[in-house]
Amino acid sequence: MKNNGRLIASQPLTCRFWQDNYDELMKLCEGSGRKPNEEVRELVDEALRARRAGANGQPASQPHKPEDELDRKLQQLIEQNRAQSQHLTRELREYYGLLLEVLAGSYGARRLIWNYIAEPMLRKAGHTPEQIKAQFEAEAKAWNTERDKTADMLEQAIKSLPPAK
């Protein structure tokens, strides 16, 4: 048989109490509205818990309740979730910064390639300065559209992150 998640022993115990303890037990039963065997079970549980705690040098704990254990586990999970969320937020912000560095480097590299490779080759191929300028403007427009799209996507991702702590 189970009671509050704990097994009740299959063998009952009987004993005769000291009169003063018996009188006090009956007063407890009157006050609580419970039967003597229920009060005795709880008193023995408290006494054994206090004895175990005393042997370990700790104060006696309250009666074990399954809902207390569930609350403790839930609090642990909430704390773990909070810590992982904060860690993930920090990681995402760091990756965002690194991505911005990479993008800035790629824009610089693109400019260098245009100035030192593409434009000289177009001049060498006989394109006029107006044609080269038009080609550059078309390329720059495409680059800027791609950059703006990527920046918007990153900004939306950052806005959806929880605040850093």
Side-chain angles (χ1 to χ4, degrees):
M1 182 177 189
K2 288 188 176 189
N3 188 1
N4 287 337
R6 296 175 70 192
L7 291 175
I8 292 181
S10 60
Q11 296 295 316
L13 295 176
T14 59
C15 68
R16 294 181 60 162
F17 293 94
W18 303 113
Q19 187 63 49
D20 56 338
N21 287 343
Y22 178 82
D23 294 339
E24 191 172 344
L25 176 62
M26 292 301 114
K27 286 180 185 175
L28 285 173
C29 291
E30 286 175 21
S32 69
R34 296 192 301 182
K35 295 180 181 179
N37 62 338
E38 293 169 337
E39 285 293 339
V40 169
R41 184 181 303 122
E42 187 174 312
L43 289 170
V44 169
D45 190 46
E46 288 175 14
L48 291 175
R49 192 172 30 262
R51 183 175 283 181
R52 284 191 298 267
N56 294 331
Q58 301 170 347
S61 62
Q62 294 299 315
H64 174 75
K65 296 179 186 172
E67 56 270 13
D68 291 343
E69 183 68 17
L70 181 61
D71 284 346
R72 189 182 66 74
K73 292 271 188 198
L74 284 173
Q75 285 302 325
Q76 276 182 330
L77 290 172
I78 288 169
E79 288 302 316
Q80 286 175 351
N81 184 22
R82 186 174 292 132
Q84 288 173 348
S85 176
Q86 290 172 357
H87 177 73
L88 181 60
T89 300
R90 283 192 301 272
E91 291 284 324
L92 288 174
R93 288 182 188 283
E94 184 177 335
Y95 293 146
Y96 175 69
L98 291 172
L99 182 57
L100 289 178
E101 283 185 44
V102 168
L103 288 172
S106 69
Y107 296 149
R110 186 172 21 202
R111 184 62 123 159
L112 288 172
I113 290 169
W114 180 263
N115 288 340
Y116 294 101
I117 297 173
E119 187 178 0
M121 288 181 77
L122 289 172
R123 257 189 271 126
K124 195 175 196 180
H127 288 82
T128 66
E130 292 79 22
Q131 289 173 321
I132 293 172
K133 183 179 177 186
Q135 181 70 31
F136 177 78
E137 287 173 356
E139 291 294 333
K141 185 177 180 182
W143 297 334
N144 290 337
T145 300
E146 184 180 351
R147 179 204 62 215
D148 292 344
K149 182 181 171 186
T150 302
D152 288 343
M153 183 179 68
L154 289 172
E155 286 300 320
Q156 288 301 320
I158 290 298
K159 286 179 183 175
S160 70
L161 290 175
K165 294 187 179 187

